[in-house]
């Protein structure tokens, strides 16, 4: 009984403290208390609930998207349509207020439908997550060529938005490993599109954020997997040397994975990996185990000790290497989260669900994050990497910075290189609190967006976007997109992508 009494006393004291200080004060200034005591256990319960819910929906769901769209038409098509998935469930930090005013179409499609190893294709529904995909495919010896990092990212989000991983220098973005999409259009009809069948729609769907139709299934390439990733760590100093080394490794096709972590303007660790079935036991590192150091901290040790390293990491652990620390965002929420004591005692509950963090942040905290926190991925040509890093340093000064190379094919659609040939690009990911003096979110981000447009780069649309409509369509090629919206009758059925994601259109 004594432990139970002690726990009850602690809980009572905590509630009294919250009452005295106010819940808003605790959520803003001592958020780790709320996260550790409530959100971590709640995240585990949520995982169990979501698993059971997915099974029930799969067995019982009968309300299919085409019927709902036809009902919307019969009721007079009075508002735009959108998916009925709650905005707080998405990985994007943006709050989608349009969900409250638009007709919600329930897309309860969350199953892996087929794995065809002869055709090397997996057919999945849009709410299938990367965690589901890796759990199934790696267990049977296969994987996706591009498997984006976080467990909760969905296939639908990665197609309608975009996705990237450290193998993208070989295979491109997530959209470039997709071979077919199945959609329900504005009139309730069903269509399948591939590079040779309804090809204009196939190339227009990526980055369209659900404004051309509802995705109901996708076919994605798969490749044979191996047990481990042989990962080399190389600390590099001096920005010119960093850019040269990163570019060279990104151009080497024998590298299955290439990634860089920039810890300051002139200090980085460049990592290159190759899949293998053999591992040296003394160099095996199961980095995904709950008690292991956070990956970005582990990598930083190579920089601090100024030594190169070689490790063998189990494939699935490698794919989700940044998941436990949400890249490095969790250090701002739980400052002691990488402490060995915390990892051993509570690491098995980490990370808290991003969706639950969004759901409980409140309006005050949301505004504070918006003004004093940056979460951005900017895609720029590799040849502009040095200039881009200097711009990030002067405009926002956030470290670490994630560097992920990718090949961008010359294909129709919203995102393509300036010329007629494929071009090597790099995703520059900045996540954290800006340390530049007098940071003001709108002006600083508009300055960064202006630079990205000037080098024919692109901004990932999950993040806050401050561009005007004219600036947005200067960055993205809307020619095919607008033509299809008119032909498919989307103007009265779905908002334009700009109106759905840009702050200037939503405020």
């Amino acid at each position: 009984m004594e432990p139970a009494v002690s726990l009850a006393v602690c809980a009572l004291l905590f509630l009294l403290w919250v009452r005295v200080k106010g819940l808003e004060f605790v959520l803003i200034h001592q958020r780790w208390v709320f996260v550790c005591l409530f959100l971590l256990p709640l995240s585990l319960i949520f995982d169990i609930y979501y698993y059971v819910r997915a099974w029930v929906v799969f067995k019982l769901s009968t309300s299919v998207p085409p019927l709902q769209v036809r009902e919307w038409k019969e009721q007079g098509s009075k508002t735009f349509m959108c998916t009925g998935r709650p905005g707080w469930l998405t990985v994007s930090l943006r709050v989608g207020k349009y969900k409250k005013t638009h007709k919600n179409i329930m897309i309860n499609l969350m199953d892996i439908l087929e794995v065809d190893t002869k055709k090397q294709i997996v057919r999945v529904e849009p709410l299938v997550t990367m965690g589901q995909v890796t759990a199934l495919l790696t267990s049977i010896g296969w994987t996706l060529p591009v498997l984006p990092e976080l467990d909760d990212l969905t296939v639908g989000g990665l197609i309608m938005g975009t996705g990237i991983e450290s193998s993208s220098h070989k295979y491109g973005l997530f959209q470039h490993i997709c071979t077919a999409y199945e959609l329900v259009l504005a009139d309730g009809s069903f269509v399948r599109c591939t590079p040779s069948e309804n090809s204009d729609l196939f190339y227009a769907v990526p980055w369209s954020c659900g404004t051309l139709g509802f995705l109901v299934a996708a076919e994605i390439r798969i490749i044979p997997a191996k047990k481990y990733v042989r990962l080399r760590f190389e600390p590099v100093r001096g920005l010119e040397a960093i850019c040269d080394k990163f570019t060279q490794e990104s151009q080497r096709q024998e590298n299955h994975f290439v990634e860089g972590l920039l810890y300051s303007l002139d200090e980085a660790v460049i990592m290159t990996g190759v899949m293998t079935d053999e591992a040296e036991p003394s160099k095996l590192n199961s980095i995904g185990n709950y008690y292991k150091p956070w990956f970005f901290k582990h990598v930083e040790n190579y920089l601090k000790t100024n030594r190169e390293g070689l490790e063998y990491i189990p494939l699935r652990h490698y794919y989700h290497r940044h998941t436990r620390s949400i890249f490095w965002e969790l250090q701002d929420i739980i400052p002691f989260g990488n402490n060995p004591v915390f990892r051993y005692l509570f690491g098995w509950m980490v990370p808290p669900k991003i969706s639950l963090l969004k759901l409980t942040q409140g309006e005050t905290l949301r505004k504070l994050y918006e003004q004093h926190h940056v979460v951005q991925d900017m895609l720029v040509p590799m040849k502009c990497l040095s200039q881009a890093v200097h711009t990030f340093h002067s405009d926002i000064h956030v470290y670490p910075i994630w560097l992920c190379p990718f090949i961008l094919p010359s294909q129709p659609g919203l995102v393509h290189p300036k010329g007629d040939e494929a071009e090597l690009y790099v995703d520059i990911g900045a996540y954290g609190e800006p340390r530049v003096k007098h940071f003001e979110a709108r002006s600083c981000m508009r300055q960064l967006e202006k630079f990205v447009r000037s080098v024919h780069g692109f901004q990932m649309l999950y993040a806050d976007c401050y561009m005007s409509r004219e600036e947005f369509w200067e960055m993205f090629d809307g020619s095919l997109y607008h033509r299809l919206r008119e032909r498919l009758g989307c103007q009265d059925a779905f908002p334009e992508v700009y109106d759905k994601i840009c702050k200037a259109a939503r405020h």
Side-chain angles (χ1 to χ4, degrees):
M1 284 296 291
E2 287 184 5
V5 172
S6 300
L7 190 61
V9 170
C10 290
L12 182 60
L13 290 173
F14 172 74
L15 291 173
L16 287 172
W17 179 60
V18 170
R19 184 175 179 82
V20 171
K21 290 290 188 178
L23 182 60
E24 190 172 272
F25 175 89
V26 175
L27 289 178
I28 294 172
H29 299 286
Q30 305 291 339
R31 200 174 188 207
W32 65 267
V33 177
F34 181 75
V35 170
C36 291
L37 291 181
F38 294 100
L39 287 195
L40 287 180
L42 195 59
S43 294
L44 289 175
I45 296 169
F46 184 82
D47 274 337
I48 297 169
Y49 159 76
Y50 203 72
Y51 176 83
V52 173
R53 177 182 176 273
W55 182 85
V56 171
V57 166
F58 176 69
K59 294 293 184 181
L60 302 179
S61 182
T62 57
S63 185
V64 293
L67 295 178
Q68 296 177 69
V69 173
R70 288 168 196 153
E71 287 174 4
W72 167 80
K73 287 180 67 68
E74 290 168 3
Q75 293 167 1
S77 311
K78 296 176 182 177
T79 62
F80 288 138
M81 292 183 289
C82 67
T83 63
R85 192 182 188 212
W88 59 271
L89 268 177
T90 63
V91 173
S92 167
L93 296 180
R94 185 173 57 248
V95 178
K97 295 180 180 179
Y98 59 87
K99 297 276 186 182
K100 297 178 181 178
T101 57
H102 294 183
K103 170 66 175 178
N104 283 210
I105 305 297
M106 300 309 297
I107 313 287
N108 290 320
L109 303 171
M110 48 187 73
D111 200 41
I112 298 174
L113 301 172
E114 179 186 7
V115 178
D116 189 330
T117 56
K118 290 184 179 179
K119 293 182 179 178
Q120 297 194 4
I121 293 292
V122 60
R123 183 167 173 261
V124 299
E125 293 177 329
L127 293 184
V128 166
T129 67
M130 291 301 99
Q132 284 177 265
V133 170
T134 50
L136 175 64
L137 291 183
T138 55
S139 69
I140 59 174
W142 293 84
T143 187
L144 299 184
V146 176
L147 206 152
E149 172 66 33
L150 300 177
D151 281 12
D152 291 339
L153 292 170
T154 64
V155 168
L158 294 168
I159 290 171
M160 291 297 184
T162 193
I164 192 170
E165 188 40 84
S166 54
S167 56
S168 289
H169 67 294
K170 288 171 67 71
Y171 299 104
L173 299 172
F174 191 82
Q175 69 205 57
H176 300 126
I177 64 168
C178 296
T179 60
Y181 307 130
E182 298 170 25
L183 299 109
V184 173
L185 302 181
D187 61 358
S189 63
F190 173 87
V191 66
R192 172 185 163 86
C193 55
T194 71
S196 58
E197 177 187 4
N198 298 310
S199 60
D200 50 359
L201 182 58
F202 177 82
Y203 290 116
V205 162
W207 295 74
S208 66
C209 297
T211 59
L212 293 173
F214 295 109
L215 183 72
V216 293
E219 292 179 10
I220 310 169
R221 289 173 54 200
I222 58 175
I223 58 174
K226 296 187 178 180
K227 294 179 181 178
Y228 307 101
V229 174
R230 185 174 69 244
L231 194 64
R232 293 189 179 276
F233 303 80
E234 184 174 347
V236 185
R237 288 179 167 79
L239 184 57
E240 185 177 347
I242 291 168
C243 294
D244 287 346
K245 178 66 175 176
F246 188 71
T247 302
Q248 290 168 11
E249 297 296 349
S250 302
Q251 291 171 335
R252 294 179 59 193
Q253 291 300 296
E254 58 265 37
N255 287 329
H256 295 163
F257 306 100
V258 178
E259 174 184 27
L261 293 185
L262 196 63
Y263 289 92
S264 71
L265 183 62
D266 56 3
E267 292 181 311
V269 177
I270 308 299
M271 289 160 280
T272 56
V274 177
M275 281 196 288
T276 177
D277 281 324
E278 305 297 329
E280 299 175 46
S282 62
K283 296 179 179 179
L284 183 61
N285 184 5
S286 299
I287 194 69
N289 289 340
Y290 70 87
Y291 51 82
K292 288 284 189 173
W294 289 347
F295 184 72
F296 79 97
K297 287 293 188 183
H298 174 67
V299 173
E300 190 176 19
N301 284 331
Y302 285 103
L303 186 66
K304 289 180 176 179
T305 56
N306 196 32
R307 61 185 176 90
E308 296 183 9
L310 174 66
E311 297 177 1
Y312 292 83
I313 300 177
L315 181 62
R316 192 164 185 233
H317 288 222
Y318 176 80
Y319 279 141
H320 301 291
R321 63 200 178 280
H322 293 297
T323 294
R324 288 188 300 124
S325 56
I326 317 178
F327 280 84
W328 30 92
E329 288 277 67
L330 199 57
Q331 67 179 350
D332 292 333
I333 299 171
I334 307 177
F336 48 83
N338 194 47
N339 183 283
V341 175
F342 181 86
R343 292 201 314 264
Y344 275 89
L345 292 179
F346 304 109
W348 54 276
M349 291 194 289
V350 167
K353 287 285 184 186
I354 294 175
S355 52
L356 295 181
L357 288 170
K358 282 176 62 178
L359 183 64
T360 58
Q361 71 179 178
E363 189 64 18
T364 302
L365 187 58
R366 188 189 66 78
K367 288 180 178 178
L368 278 173
Y369 261 72
E370 188 176 292
Q371 289 300 321
H372 303 288
H373 200 84
V374 166
V375 179
Q376 291 284 347
D377 282 87
M378 298 292 189
L379 316 180
V380 300
M382 183 68 81
K383 61 189 177 187
C384 304
L385 176 56
S386 177
Q387 185 184 0
V389 170
H390 273 294
T391 303
F392 270 72
H393 181 82
S394 60
D395 286 354
I396 58 175
H397 201 278
V398 171
Y399 292 99
I401 282 177
W402 190 50
L403 301 178
C404 184
F406 69 99
I407 192 72
L408 184 61
S410 180
Q411 295 175 346
L414 286 161
V415 172
H416 56 74
K418 192 172 184 178
D420 295 329
E421 296 182 357
E423 185 173 352
L424 191 61
Y425 271 62
V426 57
D427 174 8
I428 303 177
Y431 325 116
E433 184 176 347
R435 286 177 284 178
V436 66
K437 288 184 179 179
H438 312 301
F439 175 80
E440 197 279 319
R442 187 178 185 278
S443 60
C444 290
M445 290 315 306
R446 280 188 54 76
Q447 196 167 321
L448 194 58
E449 290 166 348
K450 182 180 179 181
F451 165 76
V452 173
R453 289 197 306 275
S454 73
V455 296
H456 197 72
F458 308 95
Q459 180 181 25
M460 282 198 184
L461 300 184
Y462 76 87
D464 283 334
C465 176
Y466 293 85
M467 290 183 282
S468 68
R469 193 179 302 273
E470 292 72 22
E471 291 165 343
F472 182 86
W473 291 118
E474 178 188 337
M475 177 179 285
F476 296 97
D477 181 357
S479 54
L480 177 61
Y481 172 79
H482 290 303
R483 192 162 68 245
L484 275 172
R485 274 180 61 83
E486 183 176 356
R487 193 174 86 201
L488 298 175
C490 296
Q491 288 100 329
D492 297 324
F494 307 106
E496 186 183 291
V497 62
Y498 176 82
D499 295 308
K500 199 169 181 180
I501 62 98
C502 282
K503 295 185 75 67
R506 294 183 287 117
H507 293 279

